[in-house]
Each structure stands twice: as C-alpha cells, then as structure tokens.
Amino acid sequence: MKRYGNLYDVCFTREALHAAYLDARKNKRASNSCYAFEKRLGSNLDALHAELADGSYRIAPYNAFEVFEPKRRLIHAPAFRDRVVQHAIYRVIQPIFDATFIPQSFACRPGKGTHAASDYVQRALQRVPRDSYVLQLDIRKFYHHINRSILRGLVERRIKDHRLVDLMMRFADHEDEAGVPIGNLLSQLYALIYLNALDHFIKRDLGARYYARYVDDFVLIGLSRDQALRCRRRIVEFLGGRLRLELSKSSIHRVSRGVNFVGYRTWATRRLVRRFSLFRFRRAARMGHAASVVSSLGHARRTASLRHMCQYLKEHHHDLPVPASYRRIYDAPPGRAGRLDRAGDHRGRDLCART
C-alpha cells in the first residue's frame, strides 16, 4: 500500500490555510468566534502559519456542551482557529484515505449521505429473495471506544509524515483512556478510517454481497439464517480482537420485515421516515420553525411519508411556507395526493435501480 510523505508543509501553506478558512466559515459566519477571527483575518492566518511552521501551535480548550437529540451526547466544539487547521489537514488527507474506502461506506463522504445509503439498502432489498434474512448490527458507544493506538497505526499505514501524524493525533486526544472528541471534523474521518478494516473483512472474508455501513450502524442483506448467525459470530470476534470494540445490539430478521436504517424504515417497494422524525416535524410545525419543517420535508422527499407531512401542514399549519418542489402534493386533494405520492415512490425505486 502506497504511503505518502512530506504532507505537513503541503497542508499549511498560506494559500492552503486561507482555503481552509473559507471551508471552516461555512454555516459559521454568525458565530462570535468566526467573527473575531475574520476581524483580523490576515494577522490570524499569519500567526497560524508561523506557529505551525515552528512547532509552537497548540490546540485551544474545547467548548463542551450536551445535545439530547436523537440521544444524549457530549460535544467538544473546537475553537475557530483549530477548525481552520483541521480543514487544512482534511483537504489534503481525505482524498488519500477515501480511495481505500468501499463504496458501501456511507456518512461524511461526498454523495454518501442518508439518502444514498437508504437507496442502496432499498435496491438490495429488491434484489434478494424475500425469504432471506437481514443481519443488522450496531457498535456500543463507538466514538468513546476508539483505541487511539490502533487508530494511529491505521493512519500511519497511509501517512509516513510523522509531524503530520503527531498533529492529527493531538486532535484525537481525549480525557478518557480511549475515544476521540465528538465535534471535531477529523473525528468523522477517524471513524471512517477505523472501521474501514471491518468493511473489507465483511466484503472479502465473509463474502457479503449486499452490505452497507453508516458510521457504527451496519447491515448485511440477503443471507440465510445460518449465514447470519455465522457472520455475527465472526464480526464479534473481529471487532473485539482487531479493533477493541463490541456490539451494543444486533438483530436477525426476514427481508420482508424491512430495515430500520439511517432514519428510514425501508422495504423493497416502500420507504417511510421514522416515527421520531415525524414527532420532530410536528413539533417544529407547532412552534413555527419553518427551517426545521423544510429540512424534515427534504428528509422525507423520496418516501411515502411526504404526503402525510404535506397534508398535516395543509390542515393544521397552512401559514407555514412550503417549498415549490412540494406544492403539487401539498395542493392536491387527499385521494389525488395519495396517487401522486405512490407515483413518486415508483420514481424513487427506478432511481435506485439505475444507481
């Protein structure tokens, strides 16, 4: 496997730091930290460049806070200048590692979001026998249990520039013995790197034809029950022996029951958003949060839930704006909306078949 060196200086030229700043400020320009950095942009970038060049750069303390949706998490938000440094690293190393990832590794990759993952799963459900089985697994507190020594070894398989690896691992430091901070841009890439070995083990050693992973949630589709039991046993052994991880839950069920994955309940011919997503959508509508409502509609745009959501807005919150792309379903009578929705669902399945 090819290893790359002399990347530290490539990451931290003045031009690279400015490009990283432009990436870091996306969706952050309203924050005080971004505003303070921009007020003295030239001097701040020069200071960063000098500190990175002479080795005096230090990571500022994180701003730690909790979020509670979809579940309780402790987030470590880095200072804006540290976001810039992470983006500078990410711009250089992401293509190097991305070339080693399998196509079925979703999340935190361009064109590999929840819609793409759900499309792949639905396409797989359409192609396997209806009496076959799905094996679905989830890793226990994945980010908190990443072994940093193993992570460093995986990074060094591709990067031989020790100065860059040392800096990357400083962004993986955590107050606990294991784990990486949730909130760092690089932590998302670390997750992909860490479980890449699992992806190749499942595809190559276990020979799974239909397999998809979204961070720590993954499914194998189209197995016999004996194959599912054997695969689960070997995956547990691999996770414990190679990656020091363990499963939090797993399930084996028939394909006809569908798959609850990446925010959707998916069957071969139909897709719905999860009940909790509908709860958040209704709550946002009641509170008048138009941006959240539009986001929820976008999440449901290729599901049978979209008709219900549009009709709910029409009946209970008609004062909220609805994007033009959904007006046809929104304005249609209930019966006609159902026919339009089913037609849209078929178009979604046709799209899956083409990808």
Side-chain angles (χ1 to χ4, degrees):
M1 182 176 293
K2 182 178 179 180
R3 299 177 71 215
Y4 294 81
N6 303 316
L7 296 180
Y8 188 93
D9 293 332
V10 175
C11 289
F12 302 125
T13 64
R14 284 183 171 84
E15 294 77 11
L17 287 173
H18 184 264
Y21 148 73
L22 295 176
D23 289 341
R25 76 175 187 178
K26 292 176 182 177
N27 302 320
K28 298 292 182 183
R29 300 200 74 179
S31 68
N32 292 332
S33 59
C34 180
Y35 174 72
F37 192 89
E38 286 185 319
K39 279 205 309 184
R40 302 183 60 201
L41 178 60
S43 61
N44 284 327
L45 289 177
D46 285 342
L48 262 183
H49 179 265
E51 291 173 24
L52 289 161
D54 63 23
S56 63
Y57 169 76
R58 297 292 181 270
I59 299 172
Y62 291 98
N63 175 30
F65 59 93
E66 288 185 325
V67 298
F68 297 91
E69 290 188 8
K71 58 185 177 180
R72 183 177 179 180
R73 294 177 185 270
L74 180 63
I75 305 298
H76 291 80
F80 187 80
R81 73 195 308 264
D82 298 328
R83 290 182 184 274
V84 174
V85 175
Q86 290 190 59
H87 275 279
I89 297 171
Y90 185 85
R91 287 170 61 87
V92 172
I93 68 169
Q94 192 273 341
I96 294 173
F97 284 100
D98 194 76
T100 69
F101 301 151
I102 67 171
Q104 296 81 21
S105 171
F106 296 92
C108 309
R109 301 175 66 191
K112 297 287 186 177
T114 57
H115 289 289
S118 186
D119 284 348
Y120 174 84
V121 167
Q122 188 170 52
R123 185 166 70 248
L125 292 172
Q126 293 167 353
R127 294 179 177 178
V128 300
R130 287 183 58 81
D131 61 348
S132 62
Y133 285 83
V134 172
L135 170 62
Q136 185 160 7
L137 310 105
D138 186 82
I139 297 173
R140 183 185 304 279
K141 294 185 177 180
F142 169 57
Y143 280 100
H144 298 286
H145 289 145
I146 289 177
N147 183 294
R148 292 192 289 273
S149 296
I150 295 175
L151 175 63
R152 183 182 183 107
L154 294 171
V155 170
E156 288 178 335
R157 291 185 65 188
R158 299 293 285 170
I159 307 296
K160 60 183 178 181
D161 187 327
H162 293 298
R163 281 198 304 167
L164 182 59
V165 174
D166 288 343
L167 179 55
M168 289 174 62
M169 294 311 299
R170 281 157 62 186
F171 282 110
D173 280 344
H174 200 260
E175 61 264 22
D176 298 326
E177 183 178 348
V180 298
I182 300 176
N184 276 337
L185 171 68
L186 289 179
S187 293
Q188 301 174 9
L189 182 58
Y190 296 155
L192 289 166
I193 294 170
Y194 202 79
L195 291 181
N196 188 41
L198 172 67
D199 296 337
H200 286 279
F201 170 75
I202 291 174
K203 291 294 289 183
R204 295 179 180 180
D205 290 48
L206 301 186
R209 182 176 182 183
Y210 296 110
Y211 161 75
R213 180 177 60 79
Y214 195 93
V215 192
D216 57 353
D217 189 6
F218 50 107
V219 292
L220 291 77
I221 301 171
L223 308 175
S224 69
R225 183 168 178 80
D226 288 341
Q227 286 176 324
L229 291 169
R230 184 169 60 252
C231 286
R232 181 169 62 184
R233 184 179 66 252
R234 294 194 62 189
I235 289 170
V236 168
E237 293 171 354
F238 181 88
L239 287 173
R242 287 280 301 274
L243 301 177
R244 305 294 189 269
L245 298 171
E246 61 182 23
L247 297 178
S248 65
K249 58 185 178 181
S250 66
S251 67
I252 297 174
H253 57 269
R254 289 191 183 273
V255 163
S256 57
R257 281 182 50 191
V259 179
N260 194 340
F261 188 62
V262 296
Y264 300 99
R265 291 178 291 156
T266 303
W267 293 265
T269 59
R270 198 165 181 82
R271 194 184 315 180
L272 302 173
V273 300
R274 286 176 176 167
R275 292 184 179 90
F276 184 68
S277 298
L278 288 176
F279 165 76
R280 287 193 297 179
F281 161 74
R282 294 186 186 120
R283 183 181 61 185
R286 287 195 303 269
M287 298 176 68
H289 293 168
S292 296
V293 168
V294 172
S295 176
S296 296
L297 292 175
H299 177 64
R301 70 177 184 268
R302 290 200 333 228
T303 74
S305 301
L306 180 62
R307 175 183 61 85
H308 164 77
M309 295 164 72
C310 286
Q311 290 299 311
Y312 176 82
L313 290 177
K314 186 175 182 179
E315 293 173 10
H316 302 284
H317 302 282
H318 53 82
D319 55 324
L320 288 173
V322 175
S325 54
Y326 308 124
R327 293 298 306 190
R328 185 175 64 151
I329 293 177
Y330 180 87
D331 291 333
R336 176 60 178 162
R339 289 192 293 274
L340 288 169
D341 179 69
R342 287 191 291 273
D345 192 39
H346 286 302
R347 285 196 296 273
R349 297 205 304 278
D350 291 343
L351 174 64
C352 291
R354 292 197 298 271
T355 56

